[in-house]
């Protein structure tokens, strides 16, 4: 059995790029680009590149500091302890940066993590190696084959409008403080910032699938 998580807004209580933008007082510029993506004016990949371009020149140490200061979501540690007890494999896939996602992977002992890699030149942010785009399925296909998981044995927890493609592979879809469009596509909705709230939903899903089987 597999549980797939988004990172920012689900495992981390916050977003990396908006916090990074505060360092150079470009919060409004980053928000404007983000809103263009939400409104469908630009695709997600273009939006990411435009945001990174706005933030070029920020130092590696500043990026690390921001990544390390973002708080783990309430209840995340207990949730992963329980998922391991239940026998789940865990995976997080994110369009966010590797320096944040790898930190979360290590702290929560997540089995697999896939993310985008920030590029630094002379210790300053210069770009991003895009490994995770708007279609997150393609970014984790090799992992899914490796662990040989099926749609029915998979749970996905997401929070943002860019995760629609990922939702399509899931047996059970949970929206965690998600947008309206994610809520409409999900089987269950959690509207409080406590990740432990997904555990009863997952347990009910397991029980229901066993009774149907």
């Amino acid at each position: 059995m597999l549980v797939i998580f988004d990172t920012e807004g689900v495992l981390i209580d916050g977003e990396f790029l908006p916090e990074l933008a505060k360092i150079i007082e470009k919060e409004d510029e980053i928000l404007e680009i983000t809103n263009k993506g939400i409104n469908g004016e630009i695709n997600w990949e273009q939006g990411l590149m435009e945001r990174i371009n706005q933030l070029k020149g920020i130092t590696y140490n500043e990026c690390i500091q921001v990544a390390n200061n973002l708080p783990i979501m309430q209840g995340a540690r207990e949730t992963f302890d329980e998922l391991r007890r239940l026998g789940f494999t865990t995976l997080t896939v994110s369009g966010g940066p590797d320096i944040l996602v790898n930190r979360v992977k290590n702290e929560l002992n997540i089995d697999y993590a896939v993310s985008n890699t920030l590029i630094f030149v002379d210790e300053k942010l210069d770009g991003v190696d895009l490994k995770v785009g708007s279609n997150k399925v393609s970014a984790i296909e090799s992992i899914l084959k490796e662990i040989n998981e099926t749609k029915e044995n998979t749970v996905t927890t997401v929070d943002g409008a860019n995760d629609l493609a990922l939702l399509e592979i899931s047996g059970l879809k949970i929206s965690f403080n998600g947008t309206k469009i994610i809520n409409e596509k999900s089987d269950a909705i959690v509207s409080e910032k406590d990740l432990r709230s997904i555990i009863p939903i997952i347990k009910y899903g397991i029980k229901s699938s066993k009774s149907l089987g």
Side-chain angles (χ1 to χ4, degrees):
M1 298 184 293
L2 173 69
V3 185
I4 304 172
F5 291 91
D6 194 0
T7 304
E8 295 171 280
V10 176
L11 304 182
I12 284 288
D13 189 2
E15 302 280 341
F16 179 80
L17 292 183
E19 290 299 316
L20 200 62
K22 292 178 182 179
I23 294 174
I24 54 175
E25 299 183 348
K26 284 196 172 183
E27 301 102 307
D28 291 342
E29 290 88 338
I30 296 303
L31 179 60
E32 181 181 355
I33 297 169
T34 300
N35 287 336
K36 284 182 179 179
I38 293 173
N39 296 330
E41 298 174 41
I42 56 176
N43 62 36
W44 189 87
E45 289 83 355
Q46 181 182 348
L48 175 62
M49 294 301 182
E50 289 187 12
R51 285 180 289 169
I52 292 295
N53 285 337
Q54 288 284 338
L55 300 172
K56 279 185 176 182
I58 294 178
T59 68
Y60 174 77
N61 286 336
E62 287 171 325
C63 290
I64 288 291
Q65 184 175 10
V66 168
N68 289 341
N69 286 343
L70 283 166
I72 295 290
M73 183 64 68
Q74 181 179 353
R77 290 180 174 86
E78 297 89 339
T79 297
F80 276 82
D81 287 342
E82 181 65 8
L83 290 173
R84 279 188 287 272
R85 190 189 71 79
L86 292 169
F88 278 96
T89 298
T90 54
L91 184 158
T92 184
V93 55
S94 172
D98 54 334
I99 59 175
L100 172 63
V101 176
N102 289 337
R103 171 215 154 190
V104 175
K105 178 182 185 291
N106 292 332
E107 285 195 29
L108 297 178
N109 294 317
I110 301 172
D111 295 307
Y112 298 92
V114 183
S115 59
N116 289 318
T117 303
L118 294 182
I119 299 170
F120 294 90
V121 175
D122 296 327
E123 297 293 308
K124 293 183 178 180
L125 182 62
D126 189 65
V128 60
D129 181 7
L130 191 66
K131 298 178 180 179
V132 180
S134 55
N135 184 345
K136 290 184 175 178
V137 177
S138 61
I140 61 172
E141 279 180 337
S142 61
I143 295 174
L144 294 176
K145 290 177 181 178
E146 177 184 338
I147 61 180
N148 196 28
E149 283 297 343
T150 64
K151 176 178 178 180
E152 291 75 16
N153 289 333
T154 305
V155 179
T156 304
T157 303
V158 298
D159 82 318
N162 295 313
D163 293 282
L164 287 176
L166 179 58
L167 288 171
E168 301 305 320
I169 71 168
S170 308
L172 173 63
K173 303 175 283 290
I174 303 173
S175 172
F176 184 80
N177 293 280
T179 59
K180 180 180 178 182
I181 191 169
I182 287 293
N183 290 344
E184 291 171 351
K185 291 280 187 177
S186 298
D187 301 305
I189 298 170
V190 173
S191 56
E192 60 177 324
K193 284 191 173 183
D194 189 332
L195 203 60
R196 289 169 291 190
S197 299
I198 74 170
I199 292 296
I201 300 169
I202 292 173
K203 286 182 176 179
Y204 179 79
I206 295 171
K207 183 178 179 181
S208 298
S209 64
K210 285 182 178 178
S211 63
L212 290 174

